[in-house]
Amino acid sequence: MKKTILFLAVPAMAMLVSCGTQKVVSSAANQSTAPFGEVYSMPCDMTQYENNENFAATGIFRGSSYQKGKLQLFAQENAKDLIRSKYHNAYLGIIRNYSSTIGNNRGNDINTKLQMAGDQIVDAVLNDAQAKCVSFGAVGADGMVECYVGLVISKTILAEKVAEKVNDVLTPEEKTAINFEEYQFRKDTEAALAAYKEQKQK
């Protein structure tokens, strides 16, 4: 009787081992084809346009599917804010370089003028920007949908317009105090904006 039970148990154990092996193989196969699980690309992804020549960003906003026009406007504002933040981070270095030699109230006044001139120009350029991409996600069970808007802004155009504006707002005395020259300021601004992406990657 013991021999019979033992004889029947051996095939059963072999089947269990075999099933376990199949599960391991199947699991390994799934991992090899999707090592990070299920992933998706973001609609209107602008990262390919973010380089030495351009600022780029994708704005995202979620809201009612019955208000797609407003969603697009809000998503575009989100993209503008992202680009504005990148620009400010790069432009602040220029301001520091030009105002570092003046440590009194007059220096603060020049610093403020440089900042305001840059803010006015980046806002004007962004307000004129046309969306490079607009995309909507699927409508959810709650009636909500996501909108994506991609924007691309030329760093060269920004630098040129900022230099012109700064040249207009500074007095001759202020220009002398910081050794301002429009062409050189434009070149310095171009270089700072172009280097921004490289600095982020370090």
Side-chain angles (χ1 to χ4, degrees):
M1 182 69 176
K2 287 182 180 179
K3 289 182 179 179
T4 303
I5 292 173
L6 182 61
F7 181 75
L8 292 173
V10 170
M13 288 175 63
M15 285 180 60
L16 288 173
V17 171
S18 175
C19 289
T21 303
Q22 287 177 353
K23 286 180 181 177
V24 170
V25 170
S26 175
S27 175
N30 288 338
Q31 288 179 358
S32 66
T33 56
F36 301 107
E38 201 167 5
V39 295
Y40 302 91
S41 296
M42 181 174 66
C44 291
D45 183 9
M46 295 287 106
T47 53
Q48 61 182 318
Y49 300 103
E50 179 84 15
N51 51 42
N52 291 349
E53 288 79 38
N54 301 303
F55 282 124
T58 300
I60 306 172
F61 197 84
R62 185 173 186 270
S64 170
S65 59
Y66 296 106
Q67 296 183 326
K68 295 184 183 69
K70 285 187 177 180
L71 296 186
Q72 183 174 338
L73 287 175
F74 290 141
Q76 185 155 331
E77 285 303 314
N78 179 228
K80 289 179 182 179
D81 286 342
L82 293 171
I83 290 177
R84 192 178 287 111
S85 176
K86 296 175 183 181
Y87 165 80
H88 282 157
N89 288 337
Y91 187 60
L92 283 176
I94 289 293
I95 294 176
R96 282 192 294 268
N97 289 341
Y98 273 84
S99 61
S100 62
T101 57
I102 308 172
N104 51 29
N105 289 335
R106 188 180 176 198
N108 291 335
D109 291 342
I110 294 175
N111 187 77
T112 300
K113 284 187 176 183
L114 292 174
Q115 181 72 58
M116 289 179 64
D119 289 349
Q120 289 174 10
I121 292 303
V122 73
D123 286 343
V125 171
L126 286 171
N127 286 338
D128 291 339
Q130 298 295 314
K132 190 169 185 67
C133 171
V134 177
S135 183
F136 289 89
V139 180
D142 57 358
M144 305 292 272
V145 64
E146 284 189 340
C147 179
Y148 305 83
V149 174
L151 291 180
V152 178
I153 301 297
S154 168
K155 293 178 179 180
T156 302
I157 291 175
L158 271 178
E160 181 180 348
K161 290 182 178 295
V162 168
E164 290 173 359
K165 184 68 175 178
V166 169
N167 188 54
D168 290 341
V169 300
L170 292 182
T171 66
E173 293 78 14
E174 289 170 335
K175 292 175 184 177
T176 301
I178 61 172
N179 296 319
F180 175 85
E181 197 279 317
E182 183 180 349
Y183 176 79
Q184 187 59 48
F185 186 86
R186 177 167 66 85
K187 287 299 181 185
D188 291 344
T189 304
E190 281 183 14
L193 300 185
Y196 176 73
K197 179 69 175 179
E198 295 171 7
Q199 290 170 355
K200 274 193 68 179
Q201 289 176 339
K202 289 179 180 178

